[in-house]
Amino acid sequence: LVITVLSLGLGLGLRREKHQIKPVFLSRCEKFSGNNCQKIWDAFQQAYVNQDPCKVPVEAYDPLIAAAPFKSECNRMLFWSKTKDVVHDFTEKKDCFITLEDTLLGSVLDGLTWCGKEGSSDTFTTGCPGWTDCENNPVRSFWNRASAAFAEAACGAVTVMLNGSIATPFHPASIFASIEVKKLNATRAKNLNVVLVTDEHIVANCTNPSLKDLKKELDKGIKYNCEEVPQSQIEACASNPMAPCGTCW
Ligand code: C8R
């Protein structure tokens, strides 16, 4: 019995440990040198602890963004919508582009779920509202706030990988359409290069109506360009260490 109780307790403890967000946050954060990760954690937590998890506004993360601001990486910033896997396969293999997940805050929080509760100073990772359960949930407000700050920092030629296998590659409800495009500023960003990633089933090409909307929504002065690129070509480029960034596909 003693052994059973002990191993049960240990099992539960380990399981609880697995769901703890703070050690994950800190260890991912420490990979970026020159930061005070405890201070960044504190700024993160204050956004949502002790609050109704459906009432966390995007501004709640302002102190977090201030604690770990985005650097402008001219000509290297890459946005995406519905192309996460191909984009990160590419950025992992080749040092050409910076996505939000390559920054401290993006990499620390990628794939995580968190929320608080009124009357508690804890962080929870289960029982949190889903993306569409309520608009002002802690995870959605974070990505909205971080995406806005990341897009505001964009300069020079900006690239976005969109999905040519869906009917509306530039979807109004996406973060790219609803937040990032609106934050691209012509005094900083000079070009928007759309890479429409296609597979055997091309559903949308560069003449897609949603892309006309994208072009129209751009701040005047930002030059628009669109190219259709097969996913296989992007993968081949990612796997070729000799291929230069500019003329990779
Ligand atoms: N961005 C948004 N959402 C992000 C994200 C990110 O960097 N990183 C993660 N893990 N997520 P989508 P979109 C999660 O619909 O809406 C930035 C969020 O939990 O394919 O246009 C990034 O800079 C969210 O549920 O794309 C990029 O340019 C989905 O992934 C756009 O916004 C959003 O995936 C992508 O947002």
Side-chain angles (χ1 to χ4, degrees):
L1 182 74
V2 172
I3 292 170
T4 317
V5 169
L6 250 170
S7 62
L8 196 71
L10 209 68
L12 285 172
L14 281 175
R15 211 167 307 142
R16 201 179 301 130
E17 190 60 32
K18 236 172 91 185
H19 287 294
Q20 289 264 324
I21 192 172
K22 189 175 181 185
V24 176
F25 187 106
L26 291 179
S27 75
R28 288 182 179 181
C29 178
E30 302 296 349
K31 296 201 172 77
F32 292 76
S33 54
N35 293 283
N36 182 340
C37 290
Q38 181 62 46
K39 200 180 128 197
I40 298 172
W41 165 260
D42 291 339
F44 168 63
Q45 254 203 326
Q46 65 73 38
Y48 61 84
V49 291
N50 216 327
Q51 280 166 70
D52 180 331
C54 277
K55 290 181 181 161
V56 176
V58 284
E59 305 81 52
Y61 290 100
D62 288 354
L64 176 64
I65 303 291
F70 297 108
K71 282 200 294 273
S72 288
E73 296 261 10
C74 296
N75 307 318
R76 297 189 71 206
M77 284 164 84
L78 176 60
F79 297 86
W80 51 267
S81 191
K82 310 289 182 284
T83 50
K84 193 175 192 228
D85 293 342
V86 60
V87 162
H88 292 123
D89 172 66
F90 185 84
T91 56
E92 264 166 40
K93 292 179 180 157
K94 272 188 102 66
D95 189 25
C96 294
F97 294 110
I98 309 283
T99 65
L100 182 48
E101 287 70 35
D102 298 305
T103 68
L104 186 144
L105 290 181
S107 79
V108 161
L109 292 166
D110 191 19
L112 302 183
T113 301
W114 65 90
C115 63
K117 231 182 236 167
E118 273 179 310
S120 162
S121 54
D122 288 340
T123 297
F124 300 88
T125 55
T126 54
C128 296
W131 190 260
T132 52
D133 288 341
C134 50
E135 179 128 357
N136 284 338
N137 69 71
V139 175
R140 186 164 172 168
S141 289
F142 166 76
W143 288 111
N144 284 347
R145 183 65 189 88
S147 300
F150 187 64
E152 275 166 7
C155 64
V158 175
T159 306
V160 62
M161 285 194 188
L162 300 179
N163 192 332
S165 305
I166 55 178
T168 314
F170 181 67
H171 197 281
S174 68
I175 293 186
F176 177 67
S178 64
I179 295 176
E180 291 176 324
V181 164
K182 295 176 165 57
K183 296 286 181 184
L184 294 177
N185 180 318
T187 61
R188 303 170 56 73
K190 298 301 172 197
N191 306 72
L192 178 70
N193 297 323
V194 174
V195 175
L196 193 59
V197 184
T198 59
D199 62 13
E200 309 83 67
H201 313 283
I202 300 180
V203 178
N205 60 24
C206 282
T207 69
N208 185 273
S210 77
L211 297 176
K212 301 237 156 65
D213 297 338
L214 167 54
K215 195 177 170 184
K216 263 186 277 168
E217 277 181 40
L218 279 183
D219 199 6
K220 281 223 163 30
I222 300 180
K223 291 199 193 84
Y224 169 90
N225 179 63
C226 177
E227 56 180 331
E228 295 148 20
V229 184
Q231 183 166 335
S232 57
Q233 222 165 298
I234 295 173
E235 285 162 358
C237 168
S239 306
N240 179 1
M242 301 300 280
C245 292
T247 53
C248 206
W249 56 73

